[in-house]
Amino acid sequence: MNDIQRAAALLRAGELVGIPTETVYGLAADASNPAAVAKIFAAKGRPADHPLIVHLPDASHLDRWAVDIPDSARQLAAAFWPGPLTLILKRADGVSDVVTGGQDTVGLRVPSHPLALELLREFDGGLAAPSANRFGRISPTTAAHVREELGERVAMVLDGGPCAVGIESTILDLSGDAPAILRPGMLDTDAIARVLGREPEFRGREDSPRVSGSLEAHYAPRTPLRLVASGQLLAAVQQALAQGQRLAVLARQPAPAAVAGLYWRSASADFSAYAHDLYASLRQLDTVGADLILVEAPPADEHWRAVADRLGRSAAGSGAG
Ligand code: TXA
Ligand code: MG
């Protein structure tokens, strides 16, 4: 038996498997087995009323999971699947409340990682999979991160190398009157708008309490994290050092001369490269023994929206021990 067959067998037996996707690693269970899906919540320490994304082998599976599917959903699926786009649609009869958090909608996507696709084809069904981190913490982008987060809570981790995209999929709600982005991702909003023939709206966390990625505290390191505007970064560093704090910095701008108590990690000025490295960088900065992590705020530009979203939530949730 190869790794894919072993993973599929474990999933059929109701076990949890850590799987690589192009965005982040997922914690997968058989989406048609409520007892298996319930194990996901226990392993993550996640509230049980939070809905999960169901991963499918291809768009032909859509009708098993959703009803009243608008043409726009099929067009988006044709344009972006496999890929980092999750569609929220009205759920089909028989889709478990454990998966949907009791809502009448379901989140669906076809991931583009070759191993995830191979596994989904072998499994030939839907896999419910949230990001494979403990609730509120930084999402994993390598197999080693999944082991750090979940240890023996997961029967197997399929190692597919570092994730290509690095942050979670764009979530687009097509279940209402107007298409709405519930969570920005690395898919270009203009490209989505071109397929939709209209601009999607952005719906804030106030309106979508059920999107756990939209709770304010999320993606969080244990060390307190603060965002600082580019022009104020060096002054903030000087001030914190003068107060005797040990600092870790993540910045696009060049490092100043080395001084004691300052750990500087250079980040890319390119938004996709930045997103690719973001979670691994935060994880590493959380281990250098700093009292405070300072992050240079990202540019106020549409391309940086998803990164800015994750950094804002990581700052809000940071410092919880
Ligand atoms: O890139 C991704 O989407 C990754 C990989 C593993 O596919 N998954 C991921 O899952 O980020 P998770 O559970 O960490 O975040 C999924 C988000 C949650 O915020 C959840 O609330 C939302 O999707 N979601 C799922 N079903 C939904 C629904 N029916 N209505 C609204 N939001 C939903
Ligand atoms: Mg998550």
Side-chain angles (χ1 to χ4, degrees), residues 166-186:
I167 62 178
E168 300 80 357
S169 61
T170 302
I171 300 182
L172 181 68
D173 186 355
L174 295 175
S175 70
D177 295 335
I181 290 182
L182 305 184
R183 179 177 69 184
M186 295 308 286

Side-chain angles (χ1 to χ4, degrees), residues 117-144:
L117 281 174
E118 222 185 299
L119 174 63
L120 283 160
R121 285 173 192 143
E122 171 77 25
F123 183 74
D124 194 28
L127 292 177
S131 51
N133 49 282
R134 297 281 292 166
F135 183 62
R137 296 294 181 189
I138 303 167
S139 305
T141 52
T142 67

Side-chain angles (χ1 to χ4, degrees), residues 24-266:
V24 300
Y25 273 72
L27 177 62
D30 178 354
S32 63
N33 176 346
V37 176
K39 290 185 186 171
I40 291 177
F41 295 95
K44 281 192 60 122
R46 179 178 183 166
D49 61 345
H50 285 207
L52 303 171
I53 295 172
V54 178
H55 298 69
L56 305 175
D58 60 63
S60 74
H61 285 245
L62 265 177
D63 298 271
R64 301 191 202 173
W65 297 88
V67 289
D68 296 343
I69 301 172
D71 289 343
S72 59
R74 304 208 192 263
Q75 288 154 1
L76 288 162
F80 299 115
W81 283 356
L85 175 67
T86 296
L87 299 177
I88 306 293
L89 299 169
K90 297 219 171 73
R91 74 158 158 183
D93 279 350
V95 179
S96 165
D97 278 341
V98 191
V99 170
T100 67
Q103 305 188 79
D104 58 0
T105 55
V106 61
L108 299 167
R109 92 176 185 98
V110 177
S112 70
H113 192 290
L115 285 190
L117 281 174
E118 222 185 299
L119 174 63
L120 283 160
R121 285 173 192 143
E122 171 77 25
F123 183 74
D124 194 28
L127 292 177
S131 51
N133 49 282
R134 297 281 292 166
F135 183 62
R137 296 294 181 189
I138 303 167
S139 305
T141 52
T142 67
H145 296 165
V146 179
R147 282 289 178 205
E148 274 169 39
E149 288 287 321
L150 299 171
E152 299 308 309
R153 295 185 178 94
V154 51
M156 174 181 177
V157 182
L158 202 52
D159 191 345
C163 300
V165 176
I167 62 178
E168 300 80 357
S169 61
T170 302
I171 300 182
L172 181 68
D173 186 355
L174 295 175
S175 70
D177 295 335
I181 290 182
L182 305 184
R183 179 177 69 184
M186 295 308 286
L187 259 193
D188 190 35
T189 312
D190 290 342
I192 295 174
R194 276 195 293 278
V195 177
L196 282 173
R198 65 194 285 191
E199 290 291 328
E201 45 186 67
F202 283 87
R203 216 182 289 150
R205 59 177 77 96
E206 311 75 35
D207 312 314
S208 307
R210 306 308 279 283
V211 183
S212 79
S214 73
L215 290 180
E216 194 147 333
H218 225 81
Y219 318 112
R222 292 183 167 83
T223 314
L225 181 153
R226 249 176 52 211
L227 285 169
V228 185
S230 300
Q232 279 144 36
L233 184 62
L234 289 180
V237 166
Q238 293 309 335
Q239 197 190 7
L241 289 175
Q243 290 166 356
Q245 289 193 300
R246 288 161 305 167
L247 272 190
V249 176
L250 180 65
R252 286 166 286 118
Q253 62 187 252
V259 286
L262 176 62
Y263 180 93
W264 192 282
R265 186 172 170 122
S266 294

